[in-house]
Amino acid sequence: MKALLARIKEMIVETWQVGDRIGRSKAVEVIEGEVEEMENIFGLLVLGSFVGMPSPPMQISLDLMPYMEKELILMLEKVDTASEPISQLFSIFNIG
Amino acid sequence: MMEKAINIFYMGKGGVGKSTSAALNSLFLAQKGFEVLLVSLDPAHNQSDIFEKKLSDSPKEIIPHLTAVEIDQEYWIKRYLKDVHNQINRTYSYLTSFNLEKYFKVIKYSPGLEEYALILGFKEVRRKFLQHDFLIFDMAPTALSLKFFTLPSLSLIWINHLLALRKEIIKKRELITKVRLLNKEIETDKVLSRIEASVKDYTSLKELFEDRERTKVNLVLNPDLLSFAESQRIVKGLKGINIFLNQIIINKILCDSSCEHIERELKGIPIIEAPFSETPLIGVNILAHFLKENENIMSTQPLKALQQALI
């Protein structure tokens, strides 16, 4: 009996933990999408000259460039998906 | 270590006598026993001709207490780009860094690097010679000089905007990390650290340029209308970034020259009138002779400022 109760308790805890993880993950997905967009904007502002955008004084871009590999790759990836903004938005909200 | 050196900049339209005025002032102060470094920031580098001595990026003695140096713009651009390139090679993956090679080949021709090269040279001079009494800068013609003085203010506008955006990104990232990984320690953002270092750097440079005790900007002009018109634009441009002139030197004055319009339009700024010299002012002896005959053309303002600073 005791063993059964312990097993039930264990199952409840496990279910709670999985639920918690799913809940947390859902809660931050939208924020993650937002952060990715902000990082892209930051990349465009600093390294915009790569994709033909007006950029800050050259030394500001160059000073920050060694620390911005992630933003640079993200920015170049975004150029590829720029023609499909709706599908990107749908994937953030998990529609379809 | 306390920064002692007072900066004196000589600005003006091309050909008005900036380099000669800077050379005369350097000579005057060195003859009074002060440690003076004359720095040529003008890519035309006239000081070698004026002192009849081949100058370079390492200081050469002109007379006791006076040394001169030329800032090589090309060298600073190359050195800066090489540093950035090396850093990228260290931090980026091989493929990304390889793809950037082409970009670096053309970047040295980018507008804006010229004035940054002068700023780098200026900072190096201040770092190395901060124990001198005076650092006298013979500036490039107007456009480049104004860009040089504007660079810190302009960069701060951009960098403060980037700082705000970066902080917002980090705030959101922290939120994600807290939710996903609970209280796992968040590592320092290197971009933010670099931005904050830049803010500090540009702010101190801006403050140095605006500080009328540590930085004195002298404007050289001739009595003619063209040079006067450009000088008015310089005064306006500098005022826009909170830099005010220390004094105006009206150079190459002839017997029939009228300076009333200059005195009227630029009132409030001390004016010094320097006569036209029949003999070309080339070589230490001729410069020293000219100084002896026209001692009144040298203002004692910087000396008073130095005395005050020492007190």
Side-chain angles (χ1 to χ4, degrees), chain A residues 24-25 28 32 34-35 38-39 42 49-50 56-59 62-63 65-67 69 71, chain B residues 80 87 91-93 96 100 103 107 110 116 155 158 166 168 172-173 176 179-180 191 194 202:
Chain A
R24 281 173 188 276
S25 165
V28 292
E32 272 178 339
E34 200 188 330
V35 169
M38 284 171 85
E39 278 175 341
F42 189 83
S49 58
F50 278 87
M58 190 47 82
Q59 80 279 359
L62 290 172
D63 283 346
M65 212 171 149
Y67 311 102
E69 186 182 16
E71 281 86 352
Chain B
Y80 173 62
Q87 246 179 314
T91 53
Y92 278 28
S93 67
T96 323
L100 287 173
Y103 182 70
I107 214 166
S110 292
Y116 192 56
S155 302
W158 272 92
R166 197 71 194 173
E168 190 67 25
K172 287 199 187 315
R173 259 205 230 144
I176 295 169
V179 176
R180 277 208 192 284
V191 178
R194 187 67 189 84
Y202 289 125

mmCIF file of all heavy atoms in Angstrom, chain A residues 24-25 28 32 34-35 38-39 42 49-50 56-59 62-63 65-67 69 71, chain B residues 80 87 91-93 96 100 103 107 110 116 155 158 166 168 172-173 176 179-180 191 194 202:
data_model
loop_
_atom_site.group_PDB
_atom_site.id
_atom_site.type_symbol
_atom_site.label_atom_id
_atom_site.label_comp_id
_atom_site.label_asym_id
_atom_site.label_seq_id
_atom_site.Cartn_x
_atom_site.Cartn_y
_atom_site.Cartn_z
ATOM 1 N N ARG A 24 6.317 26.805 -18.977
ATOM 2 C CA ARG A 24 7.442 27.756 -19.047
ATOM 3 C C ARG A 24 7.865 27.971 -20.497
ATOM 4 O O ARG A 24 8.090 29.095 -20.949
ATOM 5 C CB ARG A 24 8.639 27.220 -18.265
ATOM 6 C CG ARG A 24 8.532 27.398 -16.780
ATOM 7 C CD ARG A 24 9.681 26.686 -16.070
ATOM 8 N NE ARG A 24 9.484 26.707 -14.633
ATOM 9 C CZ ARG A 24 9.836 27.709 -13.854
ATOM 10 N NH1 ARG A 24 10.410 28.763 -14.380
ATOM 11 N NH2 ARG A 24 9.623 27.667 -12.562
ATOM 12 N N SER A 25 7.967 26.841 -21.221
ATOM 13 C CA SER A 25 8.422 26.907 -22.595
ATOM 14 C C SER A 25 7.471 27.744 -23.446
ATOM 15 O O SER A 25 7.885 28.610 -24.205
ATOM 16 C CB SER A 25 8.563 25.487 -23.142
ATOM 17 O OG SER A 25 8.658 25.511 -24.520
ATOM 18 N N VAL A 28 7.744 31.559 -22.784
ATOM 19 C CA VAL A 28 8.902 32.326 -23.274
ATOM 20 C C VAL A 28 9.080 32.279 -24.795
ATOM 21 O O VAL A 28 9.867 33.038 -25.329
ATOM 22 C CB VAL A 28 10.221 31.889 -22.597
ATOM 23 C CG1 VAL A 28 10.217 32.262 -21.149
ATOM 24 C CG2 VAL A 28 10.511 30.438 -22.820
ATOM 25 N N GLU A 32 11.082 34.911 -26.911
ATOM 26 C CA GLU A 32 12.266 34.504 -27.676
ATOM 27 C C GLU A 32 12.213 35.049 -29.101
ATOM 28 O O GLU A 32 13.194 35.563 -29.629
ATOM 29 C CB GLU A 32 12.396 32.991 -27.697
ATOM 30 C CG GLU A 32 13.178 32.469 -26.509
ATOM 31 C CD GLU A 32 13.277 30.954 -26.492
ATOM 32 O OE1 GLU A 32 12.448 30.300 -27.144
ATOM 33 O OE2 GLU A 32 14.170 30.452 -25.806
ATOM 34 N N GLU A 34 10.614 37.657 -30.023
ATOM 35 C CA GLU A 34 10.794 39.105 -29.929
ATOM 36 C C GLU A 34 12.273 39.467 -29.786
ATOM 37 O O GLU A 34 12.775 40.382 -30.440
ATOM 38 C CB GLU A 34 10.001 39.597 -28.710
ATOM 39 C CG GLU A 34 9.696 41.071 -28.737
ATOM 40 C CD GLU A 34 9.075 41.538 -27.426
ATOM 41 O OE1 GLU A 34 8.375 40.735 -26.763
ATOM 42 O OE2 GLU A 34 9.313 42.680 -27.062
ATOM 43 N N VAL A 35 12.974 38.696 -28.931
ATOM 44 C CA VAL A 35 14.406 38.952 -28.723
ATOM 45 C C VAL A 35 15.178 38.739 -30.026
ATOM 46 O O VAL A 35 16.063 39.523 -30.376
ATOM 47 C CB VAL A 35 14.979 38.051 -27.600
ATOM 48 C CG1 VAL A 35 16.496 38.106 -27.562
ATOM 49 C CG2 VAL A 35 14.442 38.464 -26.265
ATOM 50 N N MET A 38 14.749 41.706 -32.090
ATOM 51 C CA MET A 38 15.528 42.832 -31.556
ATOM 52 C C MET A 38 17.011 42.656 -31.868
ATOM 53 O O MET A 38 17.706 43.609 -32.193
ATOM 54 C CB MET A 38 15.316 42.946 -30.041
ATOM 55 C CG MET A 38 13.980 43.553 -29.690
ATOM 56 S SD MET A 38 13.649 43.439 -27.948
ATOM 57 C CE MET A 38 14.485 44.880 -27.355
ATOM 58 N N GLU A 39 17.480 41.403 -31.769
ATOM 59 C CA GLU A 39 18.895 41.135 -32.092
ATOM 60 C C GLU A 39 19.159 41.406 -33.560
ATOM 61 O O GLU A 39 20.213 41.904 -33.934
ATOM 62 C CB GLU A 39 19.262 39.697 -31.724
ATOM 63 C CG GLU A 39 19.574 39.585 -30.244
ATOM 64 C CD GLU A 39 19.832 38.159 -29.792
ATOM 65 O OE1 GLU A 39 19.431 37.221 -30.503
ATOM 66 O OE2 GLU A 39 20.426 37.999 -28.711
ATOM 67 N N PHE A 42 19.356 45.104 -33.957
ATOM 68 C CA PHE A 42 20.658 45.540 -33.436
ATOM 69 C C PHE A 42 21.759 45.251 -34.463
ATOM 70 O O PHE A 42 22.595 46.105 -34.754
ATOM 71 C CB PHE A 42 20.950 44.813 -32.121
ATOM 72 C CG PHE A 42 22.155 45.336 -31.404
ATOM 73 C CD1 PHE A 42 22.068 46.448 -30.585
ATOM 74 C CD2 PHE A 42 23.403 44.732 -31.561
ATOM 75 C CE1 PHE A 42 23.180 46.958 -29.936
ATOM 76 C CE2 PHE A 42 24.523 45.228 -30.915
ATOM 77 C CZ PHE A 42 24.406 46.334 -30.099
ATOM 78 N N SER A 49 25.807 47.978 -43.118
ATOM 79 C CA SER A 49 26.514 48.203 -44.387
ATOM 80 C C SER A 49 26.684 46.898 -45.174
ATOM 81 O O SER A 49 26.835 46.915 -46.380
ATOM 82 C CB SER A 49 27.871 48.854 -44.134
ATOM 83 O OG SER A 49 28.640 48.058 -43.298
ATOM 84 N N PHE A 50 26.592 45.744 -44.480
ATOM 85 C CA PHE A 50 26.716 44.437 -45.152
ATOM 86 C C PHE A 50 25.539 44.160 -46.090
ATOM 87 O O PHE A 50 25.674 43.463 -47.068
ATOM 88 C CB PHE A 50 26.748 43.309 -44.110
ATOM 89 C CG PHE A 50 28.086 43.120 -43.519
ATOM 90 C CD1 PHE A 50 28.480 43.860 -42.428
ATOM 91 C CD2 PHE A 50 28.971 42.203 -44.056
ATOM 92 C CE1 PHE A 50 29.724 43.696 -41.880
ATOM 93 C CE2 PHE A 50 30.213 42.043 -43.509
ATOM 94 C CZ PHE A 50 30.602 42.788 -42.430
ATOM 95 N N PRO A 56 26.180 53.228 -38.682
ATOM 96 C CA PRO A 56 26.789 54.256 -37.821
ATOM 97 C C PRO A 56 28.216 54.563 -38.272
ATOM 98 O O PRO A 56 28.734 53.889 -39.168
ATOM 99 C CB PRO A 56 26.789 53.599 -36.439
ATOM 100 C CG PRO A 56 26.706 52.163 -36.692
ATOM 101 C CD PRO A 56 25.975 51.985 -37.963
ATOM 102 N N PRO A 57 28.869 55.562 -37.645
ATOM 103 C CA PRO A 57 30.275 55.808 -38.005
ATOM 104 C C PRO A 57 31.040 54.475 -38.040
ATOM 105 O O PRO A 57 30.842 53.615 -37.177
ATOM 106 C CB PRO A 57 30.763 56.701 -36.866
ATOM 107 C CG PRO A 57 29.533 57.402 -36.393
ATOM 108 C CD PRO A 57 28.410 56.457 -36.601
ATOM 109 N N MET A 58 31.866 54.325 -39.059
ATOM 110 C CA MET A 58 32.512 53.038 -39.331
ATOM 111 C C MET A 58 33.209 52.446 -38.102
ATOM 112 O O MET A 58 33.165 51.240 -37.880
ATOM 113 C CB MET A 58 33.516 53.245 -40.475
ATOM 114 C CG MET A 58 34.092 51.982 -41.044
ATOM 115 S SD MET A 58 32.894 50.707 -41.414
ATOM 116 C CE MET A 58 32.310 51.210 -42.984
ATOM 117 N N GLN A 59 33.826 53.302 -37.279
ATOM 118 C CA GLN A 59 34.590 52.747 -36.155
ATOM 119 C C GLN A 59 33.683 52.079 -35.121
ATOM 120 O O GLN A 59 34.108 51.151 -34.435
ATOM 121 C CB GLN A 59 35.499 53.811 -35.514
ATOM 122 C CG GLN A 59 34.862 54.780 -34.564
ATOM 123 C CD GLN A 59 34.153 55.912 -35.287
ATOM 124 O OE1 GLN A 59 34.147 55.979 -36.504
ATOM 125 N NE2 GLN A 59 33.557 56.816 -34.530
ATOM 126 N N LEU A 62 32.998 48.629 -36.517
ATOM 127 C CA LEU A 62 34.211 47.794 -36.452
ATOM 128 C C LEU A 62 34.579 47.423 -35.014
ATOM 129 O O LEU A 62 35.050 46.322 -34.763
ATOM 130 C CB LEU A 62 35.376 48.511 -37.131
ATOM 131 C CG LEU A 62 35.255 48.625 -38.649
ATOM 132 C CD1 LEU A 62 36.348 49.504 -39.216
ATOM 133 C CD2 LEU A 62 35.316 47.259 -39.313
ATOM 134 N N ASP A 63 34.349 48.360 -34.070
ATOM 135 C CA ASP A 63 34.667 48.060 -32.663
ATOM 136 C C ASP A 63 33.806 46.914 -32.131
ATOM 137 O O ASP A 63 34.258 46.098 -31.329
ATOM 138 C CB ASP A 63 34.433 49.298 -31.780
ATOM 139 C CG ASP A 63 35.549 50.319 -31.913
ATOM 140 O OD1 ASP A 63 36.601 49.957 -32.472
ATOM 141 O OD2 ASP A 63 35.370 51.470 -31.480
ATOM 142 N N MET A 65 32.100 44.652 -34.056
ATOM 143 C CA MET A 65 32.039 43.494 -34.953
ATOM 144 C C MET A 65 32.665 42.212 -34.392
ATOM 145 O O MET A 65 32.071 41.135 -34.518
ATOM 146 C CB MET A 65 32.712 43.865 -36.264
ATOM 147 C CG MET A 65 32.097 43.181 -37.446
ATOM 148 S SD MET A 65 32.815 43.917 -38.878
ATOM 149 C CE MET A 65 32.775 42.541 -39.941
ATOM 150 N N PRO A 66 33.836 42.261 -33.741
ATOM 151 C CA PRO A 66 34.426 41.006 -33.246
ATOM 152 C C PRO A 66 33.545 40.252 -32.256
ATOM 153 O O PRO A 66 33.728 39.065 -32.052
ATOM 154 C CB PRO A 66 35.722 41.458 -32.567
ATOM 155 C CG PRO A 66 36.055 42.755 -33.201
ATOM 156 C CD PRO A 66 34.735 43.392 -33.514
ATOM 157 N N TYR A 67 32.560 40.943 -31.630
ATOM 158 C CA TYR A 67 31.719 40.273 -30.630
ATOM 159 C C TYR A 67 30.333 39.939 -31.178
ATOM 160 O O TYR A 67 29.433 39.574 -30.444
ATOM 161 C CB TYR A 67 31.558 41.179 -29.389
ATOM 162 C CG TYR A 67 32.870 41.717 -28.915
ATOM 163 C CD1 TYR A 67 33.247 43.026 -29.204
ATOM 164 C CD2 TYR A 67 33.762 40.905 -28.213
ATOM 165 C CE1 TYR A 67 34.470 43.511 -28.797
ATOM 166 C CE2 TYR A 67 34.982 41.392 -27.812
ATOM 167 C CZ TYR A 67 35.341 42.698 -28.102
ATOM 168 O OH TYR A 67 36.546 43.180 -27.717
ATOM 169 N N GLU A 69 29.334 37.826 -33.957
ATOM 170 C CA GLU A 69 29.201 36.780 -34.979
ATOM 171 C C GLU A 69 27.756 36.263 -35.055
ATOM 172 O O GLU A 69 27.200 36.102 -36.132
ATOM 173 C CB GLU A 69 30.150 35.612 -34.682
ATOM 174 C CG GLU A 69 30.131 34.601 -35.812
ATOM 175 C CD GLU A 69 31.009 33.395 -35.557
ATOM 176 O OE1 GLU A 69 31.404 33.165 -34.406
ATOM 177 O OE2 GLU A 69 31.299 32.671 -36.522
ATOM 178 N N GLU A 71 24.919 37.766 -34.240
ATOM 179 C CA GLU A 71 24.028 38.746 -34.882
ATOM 180 C C GLU A 71 24.262 38.810 -36.389
ATOM 181 O O GLU A 71 23.334 38.963 -37.159
ATOM 182 C CB GLU A 71 24.244 40.144 -34.279
ATOM 183 C CG GLU A 71 23.571 40.373 -32.947
ATOM 184 C CD GLU A 71 24.430 39.903 -31.783
ATOM 185 O OE1 GLU A 71 25.480 39.259 -32.033
ATOM 186 O OE2 GLU A 71 24.056 40.154 -30.628
ATOM 187 N N TYR B 80 44.620 49.957 -37.067
ATOM 188 C CA TYR B 80 43.301 49.751 -36.480
ATOM 189 C C TYR B 80 42.582 48.578 -37.152
ATOM 190 O O TYR B 80 42.059 47.683 -36.480
ATOM 191 C CB TYR B 80 42.488 51.046 -36.614
ATOM 192 C CG TYR B 80 41.045 50.917 -36.194
ATOM 193 C CD1 TYR B 80 40.711 50.575 -34.883
ATOM 194 C CD2 TYR B 80 40.008 51.123 -37.095
ATOM 195 C CE1 TYR B 80 39.394 50.442 -34.498
ATOM 196 C CE2 TYR B 80 38.684 50.994 -36.715
ATOM 197 C CZ TYR B 80 38.387 50.650 -35.411
ATOM 198 O OH TYR B 80 37.076 50.519 -35.036
ATOM 199 N N GLN B 87 41.198 40.303 -34.135
ATOM 200 C CA GLN B 87 40.211 39.984 -33.092
ATOM 201 C C GLN B 87 39.099 39.113 -33.670
ATOM 202 O O GLN B 87 38.655 38.160 -33.024
ATOM 203 C CB GLN B 87 39.594 41.280 -32.582
ATOM 204 C CG GLN B 87 39.956 41.565 -31.129
ATOM 205 C CD GLN B 87 39.338 42.866 -30.712
ATOM 206 O OE1 GLN B 87 39.425 43.847 -31.447
ATOM 207 N NE2 GLN B 87 38.720 42.870 -29.567
ATOM 208 N N THR B 91 37.801 35.372 -32.550
ATOM 209 C CA THR B 91 36.492 35.097 -31.951
ATOM 210 C C THR B 91 35.492 34.426 -32.897
ATOM 211 O O THR B 91 34.572 33.775 -32.438
ATOM 212 C CB THR B 91 35.858 36.400 -31.395
ATOM 213 O OG1 THR B 91 35.849 37.370 -32.448
ATOM 214 C CG2 THR B 91 36.620 36.954 -30.224
ATOM 215 N N TYR B 92 35.652 34.607 -34.205
ATOM 216 C CA TYR B 92 34.676 34.038 -35.144
ATOM 217 C C TYR B 92 35.067 32.616 -35.545
ATOM 218 O O TYR B 92 36.229 32.231 -35.426
ATOM 219 C CB TYR B 92 34.628 34.882 -36.424
ATOM 220 C CG TYR B 92 33.770 36.132 -36.346
ATOM 221 C CD1 TYR B 92 33.564 36.797 -35.142
ATOM 222 C CD2 TYR B 92 33.179 36.659 -37.491
ATOM 223 C CE1 TYR B 92 32.801 37.948 -35.088
ATOM 224 C CE2 TYR B 92 32.410 37.819 -37.438
ATOM 225 C CZ TYR B 92 32.233 38.459 -36.227
ATOM 226 O OH TYR B 92 31.486 39.597 -36.182
ATOM 227 N N SER B 93 34.061 31.908 -36.087
ATOM 228 C CA SER B 93 34.390 30.585 -36.633
ATOM 229 C C SER B 93 35.163 30.794 -37.935
ATOM 230 O O SER B 93 35.076 31.865 -38.545
ATOM 231 C CB SER B 93 33.105 29.815 -36.907
ATOM 232 O OG SER B 93 32.406 30.448 -37.955
ATOM 233 N N THR B 96 32.989 32.037 -41.133
ATOM 234 C CA THR B 96 32.501 33.425 -41.104
ATOM 235 C C THR B 96 33.651 34.388 -41.329
ATOM 236 O O THR B 96 33.546 35.347 -42.094
ATOM 237 C CB THR B 96 31.830 33.730 -39.738
ATOM 238 O OG1 THR B 96 31.138 32.588 -39.292
ATOM 239 C CG2 THR B 96 30.924 34.915 -39.830
ATOM 240 N N LEU B 100 34.544 37.166 -44.523
ATOM 241 C CA LEU B 100 34.705 38.605 -44.299
ATOM 242 C C LEU B 100 35.972 39.180 -44.943
ATOM 243 O O LEU B 100 36.163 40.392 -44.969
ATOM 244 C CB LEU B 100 34.733 38.891 -42.792
ATOM 245 C CG LEU B 100 33.397 38.783 -42.067
ATOM 246 C CD1 LEU B 100 33.620 38.919 -40.576
ATOM 247 C CD2 LEU B 100 32.432 39.846 -42.548
ATOM 248 N N TYR B 103 35.469 41.877 -47.529
ATOM 249 C CA TYR B 103 34.952 43.099 -46.917
ATOM 250 C C TYR B 103 36.099 43.952 -46.363
ATOM 251 O O TYR B 103 36.135 45.168 -46.527
ATOM 252 C CB TYR B 103 33.977 42.693 -45.820
ATOM 253 C CG TYR B 103 33.302 43.832 -45.101
ATOM 254 C CD1 TYR B 103 32.353 44.614 -45.744
ATOM 255 C CD2 TYR B 103 33.605 44.112 -43.780
ATOM 256 C CE1 TYR B 103 31.725 45.654 -45.074
ATOM 257 C CE2 TYR B 103 32.976 45.144 -43.103
ATOM 258 C CZ TYR B 103 32.037 45.911 -43.757
ATOM 259 O OH TYR B 103 31.416 46.940 -43.095
ATOM 260 N N ILE B 107 37.284 47.975 -46.936
ATOM 261 C CA ILE B 107 36.840 48.805 -45.811
ATOM 262 C C ILE B 107 37.787 49.984 -45.526
ATOM 263 O O ILE B 107 37.376 51.027 -45.041
ATOM 264 C CB ILE B 107 36.626 47.934 -44.549
ATOM 265 C CG1 ILE B 107 35.468 48.488 -43.747
ATOM 266 C CG2 ILE B 107 37.843 47.824 -43.698
ATOM 267 C CD1 ILE B 107 34.974 47.544 -42.706
ATOM 268 N N SER B 110 36.693 53.316 -46.631
ATOM 269 C CA SER B 110 35.416 53.829 -46.130
ATOM 270 C C SER B 110 35.551 55.254 -45.641
ATOM 271 O O SER B 110 36.532 55.589 -44.981
ATOM 272 C CB SER B 110 34.937 52.995 -44.945
ATOM 273 O OG SER B 110 34.605 51.740 -45.366
ATOM 274 N N TYR B 116 38.898 59.191 -37.769
ATOM 275 C CA TYR B 116 39.112 58.278 -36.647
ATOM 276 C C TYR B 116 40.608 57.985 -36.490
ATOM 277 O O TYR B 116 41.099 57.855 -35.367
ATOM 278 C CB TYR B 116 38.324 56.984 -36.839
ATOM 279 C CG TYR B 116 38.292 56.151 -35.579
ATOM 280 C CD1 TYR B 116 37.815 56.687 -34.392
ATOM 281 C CD2 TYR B 116 38.764 54.846 -35.574
ATOM 282 C CE1 TYR B 116 37.810 55.941 -33.230
ATOM 283 C CE2 TYR B 116 38.755 54.090 -34.402
ATOM 284 C CZ TYR B 116 38.281 54.639 -33.242
ATOM 285 O OH TYR B 116 38.283 53.914 -32.074
ATOM 286 N N SER B 155 29.474 60.109 -32.402
ATOM 287 C CA SER B 155 29.539 58.692 -32.023
ATOM 288 C C SER B 155 28.694 58.424 -30.789
ATOM 289 O O SER B 155 28.063 57.366 -30.687
ATOM 290 C CB SER B 155 30.987 58.277 -31.736
ATOM 291 O OG SER B 155 31.770 58.516 -32.867
ATOM 292 N N TRP B 158 24.976 57.748 -31.548
ATOM 293 C CA TRP B 158 24.758 56.374 -32.010
ATOM 294 C C TRP B 158 24.923 55.372 -30.874
ATOM 295 O O TRP B 158 24.089 54.502 -30.672
ATOM 296 C CB TRP B 158 25.762 56.029 -33.115
ATOM 297 C CG TRP B 158 25.281 56.398 -34.474
ATOM 298 C CD1 TRP B 158 25.513 57.572 -35.126
ATOM 299 C CD2 TRP B 158 24.486 55.603 -35.364
ATOM 300 N NE1 TRP B 158 24.923 57.550 -36.357
ATOM 301 C CE2 TRP B 158 24.283 56.353 -36.531
ATOM 302 C CE3 TRP B 158 23.935 54.331 -35.283
ATOM 303 C CZ2 TRP B 158 23.555 55.872 -37.615
ATOM 304 C CZ3 TRP B 158 23.206 53.844 -36.367
ATOM 305 C CH2 TRP B 158 23.016 54.620 -37.507
ATOM 306 N N ARG B 166 20.575 47.415 -26.582
ATOM 307 C CA ARG B 166 21.276 46.224 -26.063
ATOM 308 C C ARG B 166 20.784 45.868 -24.658
ATOM 309 O O ARG B 166 20.595 44.705 -24.322
ATOM 310 C CB ARG B 166 22.795 46.487 -26.050
ATOM 311 C CG ARG B 166 23.620 45.232 -25.935
ATOM 312 C CD ARG B 166 23.565 44.430 -27.204
ATOM 313 N NE ARG B 166 24.060 43.084 -27.043
ATOM 314 C CZ ARG B 166 23.987 42.153 -27.986
ATOM 315 N NH1 ARG B 166 23.467 42.425 -29.158
ATOM 316 N NH2 ARG B 166 24.433 40.946 -27.771
ATOM 317 N N GLU B 168 17.894 46.449 -23.439
ATOM 318 C CA GLU B 168 16.555 45.891 -23.577
ATOM 319 C C GLU B 168 16.643 44.408 -23.963
ATOM 320 O O GLU B 168 15.940 43.562 -23.411
ATOM 321 C CB GLU B 168 15.807 46.701 -24.658
ATOM 322 C CG GLU B 168 14.329 46.420 -24.773
ATOM 323 C CD GLU B 168 13.523 46.855 -23.553
ATOM 324 O OE1 GLU B 168 13.991 47.778 -22.832
ATOM 325 O OE2 GLU B 168 12.486 46.261 -23.323
ATOM 326 N N LYS B 172 15.431 41.044 -21.662
ATOM 327 C CA LYS B 172 14.527 39.986 -22.135
ATOM 328 C C LYS B 172 15.225 38.620 -22.108
ATOM 329 O O LYS B 172 14.622 37.617 -21.763
ATOM 330 C CB LYS B 172 14.025 40.313 -23.542
ATOM 331 C CG LYS B 172 12.996 41.445 -23.534
ATOM 332 C CD LYS B 172 12.194 41.443 -24.787
ATOM 333 C CE LYS B 172 11.279 42.593 -24.980
ATOM 334 N NZ LYS B 172 10.446 43.112 -24.027
ATOM 335 N N ARG B 173 16.496 38.618 -22.484
ATOM 336 C CA ARG B 173 17.256 37.354 -22.456
ATOM 337 C C ARG B 173 17.335 36.795 -21.037
ATOM 338 O O ARG B 173 17.208 35.595 -20.823
ATOM 339 C CB ARG B 173 18.681 37.603 -22.968
ATOM 340 C CG ARG B 173 18.856 37.169 -24.402
ATOM 341 C CD ARG B 173 20.318 36.877 -24.611
ATOM 342 N NE ARG B 173 20.804 37.543 -25.789
ATOM 343 C CZ ARG B 173 22.000 38.067 -25.916
ATOM 344 N NH1 ARG B 173 22.837 38.062 -24.907
ATOM 345 N NH2 ARG B 173 22.383 38.603 -27.039
ATOM 346 N N ILE B 176 14.144 35.125 -20.154
ATOM 347 C CA ILE B 176 14.047 33.791 -20.768
ATOM 348 C C ILE B 176 14.893 32.785 -19.978
ATOM 349 O O ILE B 176 14.450 31.687 -19.646
ATOM 350 C CB ILE B 176 14.501 33.838 -22.249
ATOM 351 C CG1 ILE B 176 13.536 34.702 -23.058
ATOM 352 C CG2 ILE B 176 14.571 32.434 -22.850
ATOM 353 C CD1 ILE B 176 14.005 35.040 -24.453
ATOM 354 N N VAL B 179 13.274 31.805 -16.668
ATOM 355 C CA VAL B 179 12.116 30.919 -16.800
ATOM 356 C C VAL B 179 12.550 29.511 -17.222
ATOM 357 O O VAL B 179 12.123 28.523 -16.661
ATOM 358 C CB VAL B 179 11.090 31.498 -17.807
ATOM 359 C CG1 VAL B 179 9.936 30.528 -18.008
ATOM 360 C CG2 VAL B 179 10.565 32.831 -17.308
ATOM 361 N N ARG B 180 13.415 29.464 -18.214
ATOM 362 C CA ARG B 180 13.824 28.169 -18.767
ATOM 363 C C ARG B 180 14.790 27.415 -17.853
ATOM 364 O O ARG B 180 14.654 26.229 -17.622
ATOM 365 C CB ARG B 180 14.501 28.365 -20.119
ATOM 366 C CG ARG B 180 13.516 28.492 -21.254
ATOM 367 C CD ARG B 180 14.185 28.006 -22.518
ATOM 368 N NE ARG B 180 13.433 28.343 -23.708
ATOM 369 C CZ ARG B 180 12.334 27.713 -24.108
ATOM 370 N NH1 ARG B 180 11.836 26.745 -23.400
ATOM 371 N NH2 ARG B 180 11.716 28.079 -25.210
ATOM 372 N N VAL B 191 29.200 42.337 -26.003
ATOM 373 C CA VAL B 191 28.833 43.519 -26.805
ATOM 374 C C VAL B 191 28.520 44.686 -25.869
ATOM 375 O O VAL B 191 28.989 45.813 -26.088
ATOM 376 C CB VAL B 191 27.631 43.211 -27.730
ATOM 377 C CG1 VAL B 191 27.229 44.435 -28.527
ATOM 378 C CG2 VAL B 191 27.974 42.072 -28.672
ATOM 379 N N ARG B 194 31.623 46.182 -24.440
ATOM 380 C CA ARG B 194 32.354 46.986 -25.419
ATOM 381 C C ARG B 194 31.675 48.336 -25.638
ATOM 382 O O ARG B 194 32.337 49.363 -25.735
ATOM 383 C CB ARG B 194 32.458 46.210 -26.754
ATOM 384 C CG ARG B 194 33.332 46.874 -27.791
ATOM 385 C CD ARG B 194 34.789 46.868 -27.319
ATOM 386 N NE ARG B 194 35.656 47.663 -28.168
ATOM 387 C CZ ARG B 194 35.830 48.971 -28.074
ATOM 388 N NH1 ARG B 194 35.159 49.657 -27.167
ATOM 389 N NH2 ARG B 194 36.671 49.600 -28.867
ATOM 390 N N TYR B 202 34.413 57.904 -25.470
ATOM 391 C CA TYR B 202 33.948 59.076 -26.231
ATOM 392 C C TYR B 202 33.555 60.221 -25.290
ATOM 393 O O TYR B 202 33.756 61.384 -25.612
ATOM 394 C CB TYR B 202 32.769 58.716 -27.144
ATOM 395 C CG TYR B 202 33.169 57.842 -28.319
ATOM 396 C CD1 TYR B 202 32.560 56.628 -28.570
ATOM 397 C CD2 TYR B 202 34.177 58.254 -29.190
ATOM 398 C CE1 TYR B 202 32.928 55.832 -29.633
ATOM 399 C CE2 TYR B 202 34.560 57.461 -30.263
ATOM 400 C CZ TYR B 202 33.933 56.250 -30.477
ATOM 401 O OH TYR B 202 34.316 55.472 -31.532
#
